[in-house]
Every structure is written in structure tokens, then in C-alpha cells.
Amino acid sequence: MADKRNSIAGKVATPNLKPSAASSKETIDADSILYKAVGSRIKITCAPGKNVLEGTLFTACNITHAIAINTASAPPNPSASVFTQPGDYHIIPFAHIESFEVIGTGERAPESTGAYDGALPSISKVDMAAILAREEQTIREMKKKDAQKGKGVSQEAQELFDAISRTLPTRWADTQIVVSDSVLIQAPYTLDSIKAPADKAQAEKHVRKIVEHYYQRKKGGSSGGAARAQVAIPNAPRKGG
């Protein structure tokens, strides 16, 4: 085991990070020393300024085109688990790596083949199904939010729509506001613009109350309310008359 560690620790490599003919992005080969050094202690020289960092290589990622290195000091007890090692992580783009040296293999899972397979702490597989589901949910929410914005309508019409949609299911149909799929409010969005079938009279009455309340609040807010009468405060009597 000691011979194996010495042979790895003695290797110094300048990674080939130039774009290949098949890709315009910087990548590293899965067989490269840098990729296989995940979980090991390395010393790395970075541009600009030839800054030198030493620590545990946490990952080498071809998606972000960067490595993550934990430069926190190794546990004082060599037999201590890396799970107890503190974290001080640095993200370094491949393009900034000038050279690196593997100075220790670190702790690995038994009979591991190198790289991520044996790295400790173990690197969990990304749950792509959960990520895609979250992405689809976000897209649905964005589409729903966009559908709540009227196209070619005034700000006042949008504010009225928002006020109604807080309590009732509301959608736009061109420039018309449709409430509960039964009541229609057309421009100029006044009480006289509210229409509904005869059998939806109760729904129409409810919508009228909301619209009326909206305009009452808007009128009260714009007028600022009635001015309060000033109260005269008598002056305190002066001494000596």
C-alpha cells in the first residue's frame, strides 16, 4: 500500500485542458490523473499570479469546467475519518490550473477503482428525476403567472383583475375578464360592463360587490380621505400676567 501511495504522490502533471476537436469547451478526460485524484490531497498552482493551494480535491466537474478543493487542514490524527474534516472550499476553473501534484491519496472506500467511486465522504448521485420535476413545476408556475397578466389592457384593468383573482378563479380572454367561467367583465370594466347568463345571477351579484368595493377603495385612496379638522391648543398662561 505504501509503494502505491508513493508512486501516486510522486506524480506531477500539467492537465491537458485545451478544447478538443469534438468540443469547444474545456474538459478533462476520465482517465486523467486529476480526475482520478478526487478524494486525494493535492497541491495546485493557479493562474493568475501562480497562487498555490493545498488541500483535498473534492470534485472535478466537466459540466461547470471547474474543480473544488478543500484547503482546510487535515485532521491532526491521520487515522481520523475525513467525515470530521472541516471545510474551506475553493472553486477553480480548469483554465486557471497551471499544474498540480498529488501529495497523498487520502481516505478511500475499500477496493475502490479511483475517482468518485471510492471518494470519501461519498458523492451521491444527482437525482435528475427530482431536478426535472422541479424544473417542470417552475415552468408551470411561470406560465400560470404569465397567464394572469392581461395583454393590451390598462394598469387599472390589471389591478381590478388582481383584486378579483384573490377570492375567485379569474382568467383573461383577450381583453375580457372571465370570473368563475360564468361572469364576463368587458372594457371599460365598470359595473355596467359586468355580464352573466340568467342562471348565474348569484355569481354576478358576488362579482359586482367585489368590483364595487374595489372602486370604492380606489376612490377613497386617491382622495386621501376627508381632511381632519385642526384642534386648537391653548397657550399656557404666562407668569406675571
Side-chain angles (χ1 to χ4, degrees), residues 5-25:
R5 288 187 178 181
N6 291 336
S7 63
I8 296 177
K11 291 183 179 180
V12 179
T14 301
N16 181 14
L17 300 174
K18 295 181 179 179
S20 64
S23 174
S24 61
K25 295 183 178 180

Side-chain angles (χ1 to χ4, degrees), residues 37-240:
V38 171
S40 302
R41 299 283 298 179
I42 68 170
K43 181 185 290 184
I44 188 166
T45 303
C46 314
K50 295 190 178 298
N51 185 31
V52 177
L53 296 174
E54 181 178 328
T56 302
L57 181 61
F58 180 74
T59 186
C61 179
N62 274 335
I63 297 176
T64 58
H65 311 294
I67 67 169
I69 180 173
N70 181 9
T71 58
S73 301
N77 181 3
S79 62
S81 171
V82 292
F83 288 97
T84 63
Q85 182 177 345
D88 184 10
Y89 292 89
H90 299 260
I91 308 298
I92 305 169
F94 291 160
H96 290 187
I97 300 175
E98 292 188 353
S99 64
F100 75 94
E101 177 183 359
V102 180
I103 58 177
T105 56
E107 185 178 354
R108 303 191 65 81
E111 300 180 2
S112 60
T113 58
Y116 296 100
D117 295 337
L120 291 176
S122 60
I123 301 174
S124 302
K125 182 180 179 181
V126 176
D127 189 346
M128 292 302 298
I131 292 176
L132 291 174
R134 192 185 312 162
E135 179 186 26
E136 291 173 358
Q137 177 64 23
T138 302
I139 292 173
R140 284 194 296 268
E141 291 176 357
M142 291 178 66
K143 287 182 176 180
K144 181 180 179 181
K145 186 176 181 180
D146 184 66
Q148 297 292 94
K149 300 297 181 183
K151 306 298 188 294
V153 299
S154 64
Q155 181 178 347
E156 185 178 61
Q158 183 63 54
E159 290 174 354
L160 175 62
F161 178 96
D162 295 339
I164 300 172
S165 64
R166 292 190 188 101
T167 55
L168 294 173
T170 311
R171 61 182 175 85
W172 285 102
D174 294 327
T175 59
Q176 302 176 111
I177 300 175
V178 182
V179 186
S180 301
D181 286 329
S182 58
V183 182
L184 191 67
I185 308 176
Q186 299 173 317
Y189 312 104
T190 62
L191 291 174
D192 294 334
S193 305
I194 302 174
K195 309 293 181 184
D199 59 341
K200 300 295 183 180
Q202 190 64 30
E204 180 184 353
K205 183 179 179 181
H206 188 188
V207 173
R208 283 184 179 276
K209 286 184 178 180
I210 296 175
V211 174
E212 186 176 11
H213 181 65
Y214 164 78
Y215 282 117
Q216 286 176 349
R217 289 187 60 184
K218 186 176 179 66
K219 183 178 179 180
S222 61
S223 63
R228 297 179 60 184
Q230 294 184 352
V231 179
I233 301 176
N235 295 328
R238 293 184 298 175
K239 291 184 178 180

